[in-house]
Amino acid sequence: MEDFEGKKILVIQTHGVETPTRTYSPLFYAMAAAAMEIEVMVWFTMNGTNQLKKGEAEKVQLVKDSNVNLKTMLEMAMDSDVELRVCQQSLELWDMTEDDLIDGVEIMGATSIIELSLNYDHVMYF
Amino acid sequence: MAHEEVKGCVILKDLHYSVQDNTWVKADGDVVTIGMTDIAQSLAGPILHAKTKSVGTARKKGRPIATVESGKWVGPVKSPVTGEIIEVNEQLAGDAQLINRSPYRDGWVVKMKASNLEAELAEMTTGEAAVEAYRQKIEQDGIACTHIDDSDTYD
């Protein structure tokens, strides 16, 4: 396997709990990148923001009877050193504040996403 | 080979384990064979792809020697030792589920020439201590191992 150490990928997730089949894959790709020693950040914006509201992700389970739900996916991603960030302006869209967010997620503004996307080696947009 | 089973999970007593990372090591001089434990393969589920780092890659302890993915999990296999990869299990490229069927034999991941083996082996667990460490982990995390068809059996 090629060595990708030092590369950086930004994953932008715009889909939320109302579309479960669009929630897992971006996190899975992010974890794969982290396993390959790629620095990876997932940026939640638009509807993606509602995944991060306390109590919501637990309700999203793709595979029946599985012990994995969206909350465990988010936790596995963070355990894999995937950084999770949320758009400040999108929080207001969903009437959310910092207190509504699950632990481990940082808030960033729009200018930060522009800076990040220019400084990362690759951006994956979902 | 002496072994013990805890909740269906096989632990071979003559291997050294990095319990936290679920890897095992078998040393032959300063050359070590490294693989995933039975618990690791069970937690991952049927493995779809296993990509190893290339021969010649230098690794410090804790850094990935391979990336493994199943339908429900993807993650690194972290090196339990410091050294250089001298051989990779080429069979895994075409049959990653070899890790599921034979985690301690044919499903080994890489061989490394270790550079700090004595000290790093001393940090791992082996024998009865390994069985007890895994027993605690299995009970604490509520793990029960499962095996796919044609998995190895142990006498």
Side-chain angles (χ1 to χ4, degrees):
Chain A
M1 183 170 65
E2 207 173 324
D3 201 344
F4 296 102
E5 189 188 354
K7 295 282 188 184
K8 300 201 291 187
I9 288 181
L10 175 64
V11 177
I12 301 178
Q13 169 59 298
T14 66
H15 300 284
V17 296
E18 67 285 349
T19 49
T21 56
R22 303 188 76 100
T23 56
Y24 275 45
S25 293
L27 291 170
F28 206 82
Y29 293 136
M31 283 190 275
M36 296 163 73
E37 296 191 293
I38 294 167
E39 188 179 324
V40 56
M41 177 183 289
V42 183
W43 171 268
F44 295 85
T45 185
M46 302 179 201
N47 290 32
T49 307
N50 67 28
Q51 289 187 31
L52 305 176
K53 187 172 185 178
K54 283 175 186 162
E56 290 298 318
E58 292 90 329
K59 301 173 189 168
V60 180
Q61 189 164 33
L62 279 191
V63 181
K64 198 181 172 187
D65 297 331
S66 167
N67 57 357
V68 177
N69 57 40
L70 182 58
K71 179 70 185 301
T72 50
M73 287 288 286
L74 290 163
E75 288 170 347
M76 283 195 292
M78 286 190 274
D79 287 344
S80 306
D81 294 328
V82 172
E83 294 180 276
L84 305 186
R85 300 288 185 271
V86 65
C87 169
Q88 177 101 55
Q89 289 78 2
S90 289
L91 281 178
E92 293 175 17
L93 183 70
W94 293 95
D95 198 24
M96 290 166 62
T97 68
E98 187 173 1
D99 292 339
D100 295 314
L101 291 171
I102 61 172
D103 291 339
V105 180
E106 284 186 29
I107 301 171
M108 293 175 85
T111 52
S112 298
I113 188 72
I114 301 301
E115 286 176 359
L116 286 171
S117 59
L118 289 171
N119 286 321
Y120 273 58
D121 295 292
H122 189 67
V123 177
M124 300 175 78
Y125 179 81
F126 294 91
Chain B
M1 192 179 288
H3 79 282
E4 192 139 346
E5 275 189 46
V6 181
K7 300 270 185 182
C9 305
V10 176
I11 301 132
L12 302 190
K13 293 182 184 176
D14 67 339
L15 301 177
H16 283 73
Y17 295 88
S18 172
V19 175
Q20 185 179 347
D21 293 330
N22 268 326
T23 51
W24 59 263
V25 164
K26 185 174 188 178
D28 181 8
D30 61 355
V31 172
V32 296
T33 304
I34 299 168
M36 293 170 66
T37 62
D38 189 33
I39 294 167
Q41 71 77 22
S42 185
L43 289 173
I47 293 168
L48 303 173
H49 301 284
K51 292 190 175 183
T52 57
K53 293 283 185 183
S54 307
V55 169
T57 304
R59 296 279 85 172
K60 284 190 176 169
K61 178 184 171 182
R63 293 195 52 203
I65 48 176
T67 306
V68 171
E69 62 181 284
S70 65
K72 63 177 184 180
W73 179 79
V74 58
V77 180
K78 294 182 178 177
S79 181
V81 301
T82 301
E84 180 184 328
I85 296 173
I86 57 169
E87 188 178 346
V88 302
N89 188 347
E90 303 282 0
Q91 288 190 80
L92 299 182
D95 181 12
Q97 286 181 17
L98 201 51
I99 295 173
N100 295 109
R101 296 197 303 276
S102 184
Y104 298 121
R105 295 175 184 149
D106 295 342
W108 60 275
V109 178
V110 300
K111 293 184 181 182
M112 292 179 70
K113 188 173 175 60
S115 58
N116 189 27
L117 189 56
E118 193 175 342
E120 289 174 341
L121 276 182
E123 293 170 2
M124 295 181 218
T125 53
T126 189
E128 286 298 333
V131 173
E132 280 315 305
Y134 271 117
R135 192 187 305 281
Q136 279 183 24
K137 183 185 178 83
I138 286 164
E139 287 175 5
Q140 186 178 322
D141 297 345
I143 297 167
C145 284
T146 56
H147 300 95
I148 63 173
D149 290 346
D150 298 324
S151 290
D152 283 352
T153 56
Y154 300 87
D155 297 326

